[in-house]
Every structure is written in structure tokens, then in C-alpha cells.
């Protein structure tokens, strides 16, 4: 009996331990799945406020005085506000207006608190369009006898080409907006003279910096609606592990991002475990060069948000908290989607935060992503793709220039050094440009010597080494607050499409200062039928001491 009781007791204990282990394991899984919390709070002017400003702008007496005939807002921007090193919600705005009646562009600026507006005449044409203007130009094309039948039959569709505008070939200063026409045997880019409402035809069916031939590459463009520049788009984002704050930052969607031609998904005031890591992180310069200049070169814009797949709940217009990892053009190999703006997802088990948006510039599709991990690692990523057109069949090189304003435990003192030393001083004393060697020795350390807090910037070995057009791979510069955010170039084409960052290297001290590192990621795109693999560039920022 004693032996049987002992065996029974052993079995009972074993089963009990197994049940406790199973229950504990389930509880641990549940805890791991529930411990990370994402909170997104809209900040700054809302869309109603912005729309009211735009409506009032066109009725403002000082503005109306300069307008003649049809006029429209082509761009609306929210302006930076930095105080004591922190980015604050914008209180000022800037808008570009074009008046077709007198063939003039106007720059207007004001604030959200009163009706005072400044108006300045802009010399030359504006080298960008709005969705409203493009749709107007498309209506002219679809009504023209040469194309109206094909449009009515649905055998062709219009698409935004590169470049978006062209100079008036007649030299009259008329505004020429380009429209691509694609379908059946037609692949052609025509200009629309917005002043005369007549078509402008190009030799070889395309402007000199583009191609439109029967030979085209890429998946079909969906033609879904895009977001114009100047929307409500700033959000405070917090990731917590239980009661512990892991990340806190301000995230800005592309249509509200800063810079001459915007800068994708923009991060500001990035704190890791309640300590500042970055004052600002974004991609203010984006360009592409074709072999033999078959097309372009182009300096692209990053405010025009396109559709991608993001399943979840909208926190506000243009921001979605996802229940699964959002997927862009590069994951789905499809140009359709169910959302445009900034999508957020936190992996429940690991706390990895993914922030994603997709942008359009003509036939290009660009993906702006940020991945932040609970160990302090941050991975900026920028992806490249394109929909059906003739240019991308030709080999070309994409370049994305990340601007990383490091504020390690505060804007200063910060210092930069290279672990492998190589040919630059250690620590780096004055501003300089770096050409990478394509090895692990290209890493940089950014440190606050007063606190010892240190991060490492590690280039991706696949991000390439600069040629003469790319200019450089990394620049270590002294931060200038709201200046030197980009090189100020504001044209899709022309001789200045290369990144003019060397102008910022002028022997200023970077020892114990606010440090800005520019990082170029390059991708050589050789198109082929199996070209479905995602193409991303970007470095890794990891914590060395915190």
C-alpha cells in the first residue's frame, strides 16, 4: 500500500508540475503579447484648421490683389518651430499659389493665430503640380479629339509622368503640365498649356528627360488617389513595456514633413528610455541618375503619399494603428492599397515598432520606413520601386540622403569618432565628408562625453560607395537648428539635382557640439522580369552605452 501510495504521489506531483508549467507558460506568452503598448496622439493644427486657412488665403485682400483669372494653391507647407532643442507643433505655414491669368507664382506665409499674410512674387515657374492641377490637365487631354475616343472607350488612362512640368516651348511663359497617356498601342507624354488649354506635343512622344516607347517595364500603376502637401500630420508616439517607457517621439507623415521637397516619414524628439537620442531624422534629398542620361536626372519630391496595405484602426486622418505589419508596393508587388499616410505596428512579443509610408513621384514608388527595437536599435529604411513606364527599363542609380541630427542625452556636448580611424581624425574635430570603403570599418560612434551615452552608426555594406554624382557617403556637420536641413534645390530636373551637401563643409568645429550626420544609401537598379525582390537602403543605429 505504501509503495502504491508513493507511486501515486509521484504521478500526482508530476502531473501537477506539468500543469503548473503549462499554465505558467501560457501566462508568460500572454504577458509577452500584452506588455508592449503603442499610444498615438495627434498634435498640432488639425485638418479643419488647415482647410480654413487655405480657404481664407484665396479670399485674402493682399493675395487677391496679385491674382488674375483662374488661380490655385499648388503647395501648402507647415513650417518648423524649434525651441530649446525641442520640435514643437507648427504655428506658421507657407503656400505657393499660381495665377494663370498673369502667369505668375506667389509665395505666401502666415501663422495660425491671425490673418497677417506676406505675399512675394516668385521668379520663374514652379516645377511641381498639385493633384487638382493634374486632374484639370487630364481633363484637357481626355477632351481632345485625338484622345477622347480612347478615353471614352476606357482603352487608355492618364498617369503623372516625369518631369511633372516643362518649360513653354513657345517662350511665352505659359505653364505646361505634363500628362502621360498609356494603353493599347499608345504610350505618350503630352504637355498641357494651362493658359491656352491646348496640347503641346514632344519629339519622340516625351520631354527630353523622359522616354515613352512601346518597350516599358514595371507593374501596372493603379491610379489611386494621392495626398497633397500640407495636411495635418504630426503625432506623439509612445511605446511602453508595462509601465516602462521604451520610446517616445514625434512622427510626421510625408505630406506634412519638412524640407524643400519634403522628407518622407520624419521623426523628431526621439527619446529612448526617457533620454534623447535624436533631435530629428528624415530623408530631405532623393535623386536618381540614369546610365547615359537616358532619362532624368531627377530630384524627386516626398510629400505625395500613395496607397499601400495597412489593416487596422485610424487614430486620425492619415494615421493608422495596425493589427499586422503594413505592406508596401515592395512586399505586395502591387500598386493598389487601402490606406495612405503613416502606418504604425508594434510586434506584441518583441516590442518592435514599425512605421511605414509609401510615396509617389511620377512613376516612382518610394517607401519610407523606420524600425525601432526595445534594445535601443533603430533602423532607418528607404525603398525604391516603379510602375509601368519606359524609363525604368534602363539601368539607373537611386540615392537617398538620410539626415540624422544626433542629440545624445542633449544637443551638446556630442562628439563623433570612427572605430577604425582610417584617414580621418579621432575624434573628428571639424566638419568633413567621408567616402566609405564598404567594410565594417565605416562605422561611426556618436557620444556624449559628459554622460558616457554612446550610439554606433553602422552603414549597410550593400549601400554602395559614392561616385561623382552621388558626391559622398557620409558628412559629419555641426547642427544649425532649422537651417541646413537640405541644400534648397527645388526643381525636378536641371543641372543641380545632385546633393549639394559639400557646401556645408566649412571647417566648423564638431567637437562638443550639436552633431548632424548625413548618410547616403545608394541602389543600382538593373531591371529584369524577375525584379520582385525588395530594394532597401539605410544604416543601423545601435546603443553602445546608455
Amino acid at each position: 500500500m505504501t509503495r502504491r501510495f508513493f507511486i501515486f504521489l509521484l504521478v500526482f506531483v508530476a502531473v501537477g508540475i506539468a500543469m503548473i508549467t503549462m499554465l505558467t507558460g501560457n501566462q508568460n506568452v500572454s504577458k509577452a503579447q500584452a506588455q508592449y503598448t503603442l499610444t498615438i496622439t495627434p498634435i498640432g493644427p488639425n485638418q479643419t484648421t488647415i482647410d480654413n486657412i487655405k480657404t481664407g488665403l484665396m479670399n485674402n485682400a493682399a493675395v487677391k490683389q496679385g491674382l488674375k483669372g483662374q488661380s490655385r494653391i499648388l503647395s501648402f507647407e507647415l513650417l518648423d518651430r524649434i525651441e530649446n532643442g525641442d520640435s514643437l507643433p507648427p504655428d506658421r505655414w507657407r503656400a505657393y499659389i499660381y495665377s494663370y491669368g498673369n502667369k505668375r507664382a506667389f509665395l505666401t506665409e502666415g501663422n495660425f493665430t491671425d490673418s497677417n499674410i506676406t505675399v512675394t512674387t516668385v521668379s520663374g515657374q514652379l516645377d511641381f503640380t498639385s493633384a487638382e492641377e493634374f486632374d484639370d490637365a487630364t481633363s484637357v487631354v481626355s477632351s481632345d479629339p485625338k484622345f477622347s475616343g480612347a478615353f471614352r472607350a476606357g482603352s487608355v488612362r492618364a498617369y503623372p509622368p516625369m518631369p511633372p512640368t516643362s518649360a513653354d516651348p513657345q517662350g511665352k511663359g505659359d505653364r505646361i503640365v505634363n500628362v502621360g497617356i498609356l494603353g493599347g498601342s499608345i504610350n505618350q507624354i503630352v504637355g498641357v498649356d494651362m493658359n491656352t488649354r491646348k496640347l503641346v506635343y514632344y519629339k519622340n512622344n516625351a520631354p527630353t528627360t523622359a522616354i515613352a516607347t512601346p518597350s516599358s517595364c514595371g507593374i501596372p500603376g493603379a491610379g489611386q488617389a494621392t495626398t497633397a502637401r500640407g495636411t495635418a500630420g504630426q503625432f506623439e508616439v509612445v511605446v511602453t513595456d508595462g509601465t516602462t517607457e521604451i520610446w517616445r517621439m514625434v512622427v510626421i507623415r510625408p505630406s506634412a514633413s519638412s524640407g524643400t521637397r519634403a522628407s518622407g516619414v520624419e521623426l523628431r524628439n526621439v527619446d529612448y528610455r526617457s533620454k534623447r537620442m535624436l533631435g530629428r531624422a528624415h530623408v530631405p534629398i532623393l535623386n536618381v541618375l540614369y546610365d547615359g542620361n537616358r532619362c532624368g536626372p531627377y530630384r524627386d519630391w516626398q510629400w505625395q503619399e500613395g496607397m499601400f496595405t495597412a489593416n487596422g484602426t485610424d487614430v486620425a486622418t492619415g494615421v493608422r494603428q495596425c493589427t499586422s505589419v503594413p505592406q508596401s508596393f515592395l512586399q505586395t508587388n502591387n500598386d493598389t492599397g487601402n490606406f495612405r499616410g503613416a502606418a504604425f505596428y508594434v510586434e506584441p512579443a518583441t516590442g518592435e515598432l514599425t512605421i511605414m509610408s509609401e510615396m509617389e513621384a511620377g512613376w516612382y514608388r518610394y517607401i519610407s520606413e523606420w524600425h525601432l527595437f526595445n534594445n535601443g536599435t533603430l533602423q532607418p529604411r528607404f525603398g525604391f520601386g516603379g510602375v509601368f513606364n519606359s524609363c525604368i527599363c534602363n539601368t539607373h542609380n537611386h540615392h537617398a540622403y538620410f539626415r540624422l541630427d544626433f542629440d545624445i542625452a542633449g544637443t551638446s556636448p556630442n562628439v563623433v569618432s570612427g572605430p577604425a580611424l582610417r584617414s580621418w581624425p579621432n575624434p573628428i574635430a571639424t566638419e568633413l565628408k567621408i567616402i566609405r570603403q564598404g567594410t565594417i570599418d565605416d562605422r561611426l560612434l556618436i557620444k556624449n562625453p559628459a554622460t558616457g551615452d554612446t550610439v554606433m552608426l553602422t552603414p549597410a555594406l550593400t549601400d554602395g560607395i559614392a561616385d561623382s554624382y552621388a558626391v559622398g557617403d557620409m558628412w559629419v556637420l555641426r547642427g544649425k537648428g532649422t537651417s541646413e536641413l537640405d541644400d534648397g534645390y527645388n526643381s525636378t530636373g536641371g543641372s543641380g539635382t545632385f546633393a549639394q551637401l559639400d557646401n556645408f563643409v566649412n571647417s566648423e568645429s564638431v567637437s562638443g557640439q550639436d552633431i548632424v550626420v548625413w548618410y547616403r544609401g545608394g541602389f543600382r537598379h538593373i531591371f529584369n522580369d524577375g525584379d520582385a525582390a525588395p530594394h532597401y537602403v539605410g544604416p543601423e543605429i545601435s546603443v553602445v552605452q546608455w
Side-chain angles (χ1 to χ4, degrees):
M1 177 70 72
T2 303
R3 182 179 179 187
R4 288 181 181 178
F5 177 80
F6 181 73
I7 293 173
F8 173 81
L9 182 62
L10 288 177
V11 172
F12 179 83
V13 170
V15 171
I17 292 173
M19 291 182 66
I20 292 171
T21 301
M22 180 180 68
L23 291 172
T24 303
N26 287 340
Q27 288 174 350
N28 287 339
V29 169
S30 298
K31 180 181 178 183
Q33 290 176 343
Q35 63 183 340
Y36 292 101
T37 303
L38 172 64
T39 305
I40 305 172
T41 306
I43 59 176
N46 60 32
Q47 195 59 48
T48 299
T49 299
I50 292 172
D51 290 342
N52 288 340
I53 290 289
K54 293 166 74 173
T55 299
L57 174 61
M58 298 303 288
N59 294 318
N60 182 277
V63 174
K64 291 177 69 173
Q65 185 177 0
L67 305 183
K68 180 180 178 182
Q70 184 186 22
S71 304
R72 59 166 50 101
I73 298 174
L74 293 183
S75 176
F76 188 90
E77 308 169 33
L78 307 180
L79 300 182
D80 285 330
R81 183 159 68 106
I82 306 292
E83 293 183 9
N84 300 320
D86 281 342
S87 174
L88 301 179
D91 58 1
R92 292 186 57 77
W93 53 265
R94 172 189 296 139
Y96 286 94
I97 301 173
Y98 191 81
S99 175
Y100 299 96
N102 55 21
K103 305 178 185 180
R104 289 181 186 172
F106 298 92
L107 170 64
T108 62
E109 293 190 5
N111 58 58
F112 290 102
T113 58
D114 58 47
S115 58
N116 294 326
I117 295 175
T118 62
V119 183
T120 307
T121 302
V122 178
S123 60
Q125 294 279 2
L126 298 177
D127 188 30
F128 50 82
T129 66
S130 65
E132 180 188 31
E133 185 180 47
F134 177 76
D135 289 344
D136 189 14
T138 298
S139 71
V140 175
V141 176
S142 62
S143 300
D144 186 91
K146 182 175 180 180
F147 301 108
S148 58
F151 273 97
R152 283 196 303 269
S155 59
V156 299
R157 63 175 182 83
Y159 68 91
M162 298 289 283
T165 67
S166 294
D168 179 8
Q170 302 299 320
K172 299 179 298 180
D174 288 1
R175 181 162 172 80
I176 310 299
V177 174
N178 292 324
V179 176
I181 311 164
L182 183 65
S185 61
I186 300 176
N187 185 5
Q188 184 174 356
I189 300 172
V190 298
V192 177
D193 187 320
M194 301 300 291
N195 300 90
T196 65
R197 314 287 289 181
K198 295 181 179 179
L199 299 191
V200 175
Y201 295 98
Y202 298 111
K203 183 180 179 181
N204 298 322
N205 290 331
T208 55
T209 58
I211 302 173
T213 67
S215 177
S216 294
C217 301
I219 65 174
Q224 291 183 294
T226 59
T227 306
R229 188 172 196 178
T231 60
Q234 294 201 6
F235 311 93
E236 184 176 63
V237 177
V238 180
V239 178
T240 57
D241 177 1
T243 60
T244 302
E245 181 179 294
I246 306 300
W247 292 101
R248 179 184 292 269
M249 72 200 77
V250 172
V251 178
I252 304 175
R253 61 189 286 194
S255 60
S257 61
S258 66
T260 303
R261 297 178 75 77
S263 51
V265 174
E266 182 172 351
L267 308 186
R268 299 189 189 178
N269 303 343
V270 181
D271 293 345
Y272 173 61
R273 296 187 179 272
S274 303
K275 200 180 302 183
R276 184 60 46 89
M277 178 182 287
L278 289 157
R280 188 189 312 231
H282 52 155
V283 182
I285 298 176
L286 175 66
N287 56 26
V288 57
L289 178 72
Y290 282 77
D291 286 6
N293 284 329
R294 291 279 290 161
C295 292
Y298 302 125
R299 174 76 71 95
D300 289 335
W301 60 93
Q302 297 180 67
W303 62 74
Q304 188 178 0
E305 298 166 348
M307 302 286 275
F308 62 102
T309 302
N311 299 317
T313 303
D314 289 348
V315 176
T317 302
V319 57
R320 180 166 293 181
Q321 190 163 337
C322 297
T323 54
S324 58
V325 180
Q327 293 189 311
S328 72
F329 174 96
L330 295 181
Q331 283 79 47
T332 64
N333 202 33
N334 191 303
D335 194 40
T336 61
N338 60 8
F339 173 75
R340 63 179 188 267
F344 299 80
Y345 174 72
V346 165
E347 173 58 46
T350 65
E352 177 188 351
L353 170 63
T354 296
I355 308 170
M356 177 190 291
S357 188
E358 182 170 319
M359 302 164 294
E360 299 186 9
W363 45 65
Y364 296 111
R365 299 295 181 265
Y366 293 121
I367 316 302
S368 181
E369 291 185 24
W370 299 88
H371 299 271
L372 299 92
F373 300 83
N374 63 6
N375 65 355
T377 298
L378 193 155
Q379 295 176 341
R381 293 291 180 264
F382 204 91
F384 310 89
V387 295
F388 195 75
N389 74 94
S390 299
C391 277
I392 66 170
C393 302
N394 300 279
T395 299
H396 52 282
N397 293 278
H398 289 284
H399 305 284
Y401 295 79
F402 297 82
R403 183 181 180 275
L404 305 169
D405 182 356
F406 287 98
D407 292 346
I408 307 300
T411 57
S412 63
N414 279 189
V415 295
V416 184
S417 59
L421 301 184
R422 283 180 43 201
S423 60
W424 60 81
N426 191 42
I428 297 171
T430 57
E431 296 177 324
L432 83 166
K433 175 175 70 174
I434 296 170
I435 303 296
R436 294 191 294 262
Q437 292 183 337
T439 70
I440 198 66
D441 291 341
D442 291 323
R443 296 172 297 176
L444 293 177
L445 289 173
I446 302 93
K447 178 179 182 178
N448 185 319
T451 65
D453 297 304
T454 308
V455 300
M456 178 181 290
L457 186 147
T458 303
L461 298 181
T462 55
D463 281 357
I465 299 172
D467 57 15
S468 59
Y469 181 79
V471 182
D473 292 318
M474 296 186 289
W475 289 260
V476 177
L477 304 175
R478 183 171 178 171
K480 298 292 182 62
T482 58
S483 65
E484 296 188 356
L485 295 181
D486 59 39
D487 58 13
Y489 189 77
N490 194 19
S491 179
T492 305
S495 60
T497 59
F498 67 95
Q500 300 168 53
L501 297 176
D502 285 354
N503 295 337
F504 299 155
V505 181
N506 48 30
S507 300
E508 290 185 86
S509 172
V510 292
S511 179
Q513 304 293 333
D514 181 13
I515 300 297
V516 171
V517 175
W518 284 82
Y519 175 97
R520 182 200 64 87
F523 165 61
R524 183 165 175 79
H525 195 173
I526 304 174
F527 197 93
N528 59 69
D529 290 338
D531 194 46
H535 310 299
Y536 286 99
V537 299
E540 179 173 280
I541 301 167
S542 56
V543 168
V544 176
Q545 180 175 331
W546 205 258

